[in-house]
Structures are given as structure tokens and as C-alpha cells.
Amino acid sequence: MREISLVYLDRSGGLQKFVHDCKKYNDSKQSYAVYRFIISINPSDIAELDATLGNYILHNPIQAAQIFQSVCFIAIKTLSLIEQLQTEAQISILLKPTHLPPLPSYVLSLSAFPFNYTSQRFYISEGIAIAMGTVTKYTQGARFLCTEETCPFSEGRFRYIRVHMPGATESATVRNDFVCSLCSSPLQEDMKFRVLGDKQIVEMIDAKVLNALKGCSSDKSHFRIQTFTVFLR
């Protein structure tokens, strides 16, 4: 699937955009713990190229992103695109689909039953935004070092990298109880390598609420409309 991923990036123009993004990182004087890349993908084109990879992207996007992560790391090292990059863990890939199949199973409806949304795959969700919070910062990635000075992981290579994953809380990326796998000493964040991003919280409600506000009759004698929270990162 790595080979197919590279072929798709080359044919879709994604590889050219990736090289351009790498150049911006390489020219920057700022030090990064994590290099974040957004890759636009067309599920239909990928499925035609390789059905297995297309299905994998649609239903296991986090694992599929690791395939592209490996491909991008090899490309960076082969072409010497980012001199500061040391490990594959420093690359964060966000797959951004252009669309999803027009099938009911890809529509996230919190009013439908049963609620089978335990899988971390792509869904389409439509609703009305009734409240929006202010834009705040969150940690996309961070570097940690061992606090034991005699430990080889107390300096140098990017051994301990924490990258924010979709659905994770802030404490999963940055907190003070991480320990070194070599000497079990506490880890401390190297603040100069923290990578920040923007996030916004939006309160939404299902579009079906419009029928209730219009006074439309319903077959159900009682029903309840509940809002849901969306995190935009």
C-alpha cells in the first residue's frame, strides 16, 4: 500500500504540494518537534487505483495516515527535503477527503438508531451551529527529554515525541507523568519545540429541529432535541 500511496500522490499533484510544504519548513529558522502535513485525497480515485487502500482510508483513516507518514518520511530522507528531521515520529499526517461515498452509513445522525459510531472513521455530519467559542491554542506536538542527566535520552535525538491524535484530549499530548522507557525517570517537555495549533468549539443541533420550530406535526407524541459539540482543529 505504500507503493500505491506514492503513485497516487504523484498522479494527484499531492507530491508536488508536499515538496513545497517541506521547503517552507526547511527554510524556516524555527525548530519543530513535529512537522504537520495536510494531504487531500479523493476516495473514488484511490479506490479505482487500489480498492484495498481506498477501503482502508475510508474505514481506518488513522492507520492509513501511518502509511502516508512512512512514505513521506522516506521521500524527505531520499530527497533531503528537511535537514532538521530526525525520526519518522516527527511527521504528522492529516488525511483530508474531498468527499465521502453518498451512502447512509457515512452520515453521522445522532437521532438515528442504533448508535454505531464507535469506529474512528470518516463521517458526514450536518446541522445548525447555535453557538461558537473563541479560537484558542492547543498542542499539536511536543518533545520530551529525560530528567536524568546520565541517561542518553536526556538530550540529542527526538526520542519522545507526543502528537495530538483525532479524538484525544489535551492531556494525552502534554502532561507531567510520562516516564523514560530506559531509566524510568520522569520526562520533562522541551518547551522550545512545542508546536501549537488553533481550535474552536462549536455547539450544533440536528437540522431536524427546524421542523419542530415550524410547528410541523410528528408521528411521535414526545421527542427531544439535544445539541452536540464539535471540535474544530
Side-chain angles (χ1 to χ4, degrees), residues 140-205:
Q140 289 183 348
R143 175 198 188 191
F144 288 82
L145 297 173
C146 182
T147 55
E148 174 57 51
E149 295 182 357
T150 59
C151 179
F153 297 149
S154 63
E155 58 183 8
R157 293 182 60 84
F158 288 78
R159 170 70 181 184
Y160 298 111
I161 300 294
R162 304 293 301 182
V163 181
H164 175 82
M165 298 294 290
T169 59
E170 303 293 332
S171 61
T173 308
V174 179
R175 60 175 188 260
N176 56 11
D177 60 348
F178 296 129
V179 296
C180 178
S181 60
L182 184 62
C183 66
S184 299
S185 299
L187 297 180
Q188 184 176 13
E189 183 185 356
D190 189 353
M191 293 298 297
K192 65 178 178 289
F193 285 96
R194 176 179 285 196
V195 181
L196 298 177
D198 294 333
K199 75 172 181 180
Q200 188 174 22
I201 299 177
V202 180
E203 198 76 11
M204 298 188 67
I205 197 166

Side-chain angles (χ1 to χ4, degrees), residues 19-32:
V19 172
H20 178 71
D21 292 340
C22 287
K23 186 178 185 302
K24 291 192 296 183
Y25 277 124
N26 196 48
D27 295 341
S28 175
K29 296 181 180 180
Q30 183 178 351
S31 299
Y32 294 90

Side-chain angles (χ1 to χ4, degrees), residues 61 132 137-138 201:
M132 300 178 66
K137 296 293 183 181
Y138 79 102
I201 299 177

Side-chain angles (χ1 to χ4, degrees), residues 127-135 199-205 227-233:
I128 304 170
I130 61 174
M132 300 178 66
T134 58
V135 177
K199 75 172 181 180
Q200 188 174 22
I201 299 177
V202 180
E203 198 76 11
M204 298 188 67
I205 197 166
T227 62
F228 58 96
T229 304
V230 177
F231 290 81
L232 304 179
R233 298 183 184 271

